[in-house]
């Protein structure tokens, strides 16, 4: 039964964007965004949520991802926020990525604002293809208020908690197995 639960748990990865890479620190408690990658037939579904506790007006303008394999396609039909998804190698703030998701910048009410969730699909990859490193996912949050106007920040997600939990679970299973022998 433990192996079944482990297999089900590995079909979804949750990332909390809580580390400023460059730029300003968003107003509100971290995590400032959360992303879930879930296996679906032929690919993955990705849901990105701008934290409802972020300051009003802070919006996500871009999501960068790094997969070990390049996705073969994408679909954002029905998502009100995505303007484009690009597939191919590039760098942003000195980090390497191969999926770039651009979100609406204007008009303001159509932006991915606090509490909003964007959901789209990538094909030809699975959760096991996601690099899952400390610098393999980045969001660009804009509209961070300051005394003199607004700034932006690029926020990364450290290793996802779900991978840490899976690793801890595997270590526990190995420990139990060794005790039984």
């Amino acid at each position: 039964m433990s192996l079944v639960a482990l297999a089900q748990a590995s079909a979804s990865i949750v990332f909390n964007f809580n580390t400023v890479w460059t730029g300003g620190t968003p107003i509100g408690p971290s995590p400032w965004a959360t992303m879930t990658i879930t296996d679906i037939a032929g690919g993955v579904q990705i849901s990105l949520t701008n934290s409802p506790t972020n300051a009003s007006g802070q919006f996500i303008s871009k999501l960068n991802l790094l997969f070990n394999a390049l996705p073969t396609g994408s679909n954002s039909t029905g998502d009100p926020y995505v303007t484009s998804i690009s597939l191919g190698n590039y760098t942003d703030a000195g980090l390497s990525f191969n999926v770039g998701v651009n979100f609406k910048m204007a008009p303001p009410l159509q932006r991915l604002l606090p509490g909003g969730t964007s959901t789209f699909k990538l094909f030809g990859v699975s959760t096991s293809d996601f690099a899952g490193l400390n610098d393999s996912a980045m969001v660009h949050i804009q509209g961070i208020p300051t005394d003199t106007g607004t700034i932006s920040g690029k926020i990364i997600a450290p290793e996802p908690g779900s991978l840490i939990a899976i690793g801890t679970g595997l270590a526990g299973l190995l420990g139990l197995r060794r005790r039984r022998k």
Side-chain angles (χ1 to χ4, degrees), residues 15-26 28-34 54 93 95 97 133-141 144 152-160 164:
F15 281 84
N16 291 309
F17 292 89
N18 57 13
T19 303
V20 175
W21 183 256
T22 63
T25 300
S30 69
W32 299 291
T34 302
N54 282 346
L95 299 176
F97 301 101
L133 306 171
N134 285 348
D135 55 2
S136 57
M138 174 192 287
V139 293
H140 190 181
I141 297 180
I144 300 169
S152 65
K154 295 186 178 182
I155 315 301
I156 60 171
E159 184 175 311
I164 293 169

Side-chain angles (χ1 to χ4, degrees), residues 74-181:
S74 64
N75 184 340
S76 61
T77 303
D79 182 88
Y81 305 109
V82 174
T83 58
S84 65
I85 299 175
S86 57
L87 307 174
N89 297 321
Y90 65 96
T91 59
D92 188 352
L95 299 176
S96 297
F97 301 101
N98 57 13
V99 176
V101 183
N102 292 303
F103 300 100
K104 290 181 180 173
M105 303 267 296
L109 292 179
Q110 292 185 7
R111 296 173 175 164
L112 183 48
L113 293 166
T117 298
S118 173
T119 302
F120 56 92
K121 298 173 184 172
L122 299 175
F123 301 108
V125 291
S126 69
T127 54
S128 64
D129 293 316
F130 189 71
L133 306 171
N134 285 348
D135 55 2
S136 57
M138 174 192 287
V139 293
H140 190 181
I141 297 180
Q142 296 194 32
I144 300 169
T146 68
D147 292 340
T148 59
T150 61
I151 59 173
S152 65
K154 295 186 178 182
I155 315 301
I156 60 171
E159 184 175 311
S162 54
L163 288 181
I164 293 169
I166 289 169
T168 303
L170 285 174
L173 288 173
L174 290 173
L176 284 175
R177 185 174 179 202
R178 287 184 180 151
R179 277 191 227 165
R180 287 184 182 165
K181 285 185 177 185

Side-chain angles (χ1 to χ4, degrees), residues 45-66:
Q45 177 173 289
I46 297 176
S47 293
L48 177 66
T49 301
N50 188 345
S51 176
T53 59
N54 282 346
S56 177
Q58 291 181 159
F59 65 98
I60 297 173
S61 62
K62 184 159 186 153
L63 170 66
N64 298 316
L65 300 170
L66 179 62

